[in-house]
Each structure stands twice: as structure tokens, then as C-alpha cells.
């Protein structure tokens, strides 16, 4: 079982960035906990601030991995190109958000990606990623 987590722009600053919204934990610490919790699942991690690099990663893993959990950050609300990449691959993709985007500014209420995804998880803090993995890995 192989799952790819993809984090988009500004999510390299988790634990530093707007802590009241995104919390105090950096992603690498959280990832370590996830890997310990699910030893039978191979969890790969990729972060990029660059739209095209995110698309390249979706293409790279999207025909061989069992699932992708993506937090595309602000590209969620703007990127037709990432939506097209998700629609183009065979691997199921779950869109996740740390914050409850529906409680925030209106421009965060719309996702360009959601219609191409298996499902969307938002508002559970870092736990949103774990919930995505549990669904994809069926555990
Ligand atoms: C986010 C929500 C987005 O609106 C925002 O641009 C982010 C993070 C979240 O995880 O809550 O960068 O995807």
C-alpha cells in the first residue's frame, strides 16, 4: 500500500505560519507520527510551492500508487491545471485542508479540484491528512 501526500504552496511553513489557523506542528514531525501509526502503509511526502511541480508529481505517482492525499493550499481555489492533472490519473485523490475553509473568506469556499477528487476533508487540523489516509488505505 503506497500513499503519496502532496502539500502545495506555503505549507512548508507549517508550525511557523499563522499558527492560530494552522497550528504549531511542522509537517515533518506530524509525518513521523503518521508513519509510526500506519507501519504497513508506505507514506511518501512531497511539498512544492510551484504549480507545475505539483502537476509533475501527480503524473509521476498517479498511475502506480494506491492513493494521493493533496493539500494544494491556495491553488485549490485557482488551479484548473491541477484539477486536470487529478482527472487525468488513475489513482484516487483526496483533497484535504487543515482549516475549515467554509468558515473563512469567501474565496476559499470554492475548490477547483473537488469535482475531480474522491472526496474532500477540511477543518480537522493536521488530522485531516490521517482521515484521508484511513479512507484510501481502508484502515
Ligand atoms: C489550506 C486552506 C487554503 O485556503 C489556504 O490557501 C492554504 C491552506 C488549509 O489547509 O486549510 O494554504 O489549504
Amino acid at each position: 500500500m503506497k500513499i503519496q501526500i502532496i502539500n502545495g504552496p506555503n505549507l512548508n511553513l507549517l508550525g511557523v505560519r499563522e499558527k492560530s489557523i494552522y497550528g504549531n506542528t511542522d509537517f515533518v514531525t506530524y509525518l513521523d507520527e503518521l508513519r509510526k501509526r500506519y507501519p504497513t502503509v508506505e507514506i511518501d511526502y512531497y511539498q512544492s510551492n510551484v504549480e507545475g511541480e505539483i502537476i509533475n508529481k501527480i503524473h509521476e505517482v498517479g498511475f502506480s500508487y494506491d492513493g494521493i492525499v493533496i493539500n494544494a493550499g491556495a491553488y485549490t481555489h485557482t488551479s484548473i491545471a491541477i484539477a486536470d492533472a487529478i482527472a487525468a490519473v488513475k489513482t484516487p485523490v483526496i483533497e484535504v485542508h487543515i482549516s475549515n475553509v467554509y468558515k473563512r473568506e469567501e474565496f476559499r469556499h470554492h475548490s477547483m479540484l473537488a469535482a475531480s477528487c474522491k472526496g474532500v476533508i477540511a477543518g480537522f487540523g493536521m488530522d485531516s491528512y490521517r482521515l484521508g489516509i484511513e479512507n484510501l488505505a481502508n484502515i
Side-chain angles (χ1 to χ4, degrees), residues 3-27:
I3 307 269
Q4 176 75 52
I5 296 176
I6 301 175
N7 269 344
N10 302 305
L11 293 165
N12 53 314
L13 295 181
L14 286 174
V16 176
R17 165 195 191 202
E18 297 179 278
K19 290 183 187 181
S20 60
I21 300 173
Y22 299 114
N24 296 309
T25 315
D26 67 276
F27 201 79

Side-chain angles (χ1 to χ4, degrees), residues 9 11 17 22 71 73-74 76-77 96-99 101 104 108:
L11 293 165
R17 165 195 191 202
Y22 299 114
N71 183 349
T76 305
H77 316 298
V96 302
H97 300 285
I98 296 164
S99 64
V101 284
R104 301 181 63 195
R108 297 186 203 276

Side-chain angles (χ1 to χ4, degrees), residues 101-120:
V101 284
Y102 301 100
K103 276 190 183 167
R104 301 181 63 195
E105 303 95 323
E106 205 161 322
F107 65 84
R108 297 186 203 276
H109 297 185
H110 180 70
S111 167
M112 301 298 290
L113 316 183
S116 305
C117 290
K118 181 180 180 189
V120 179

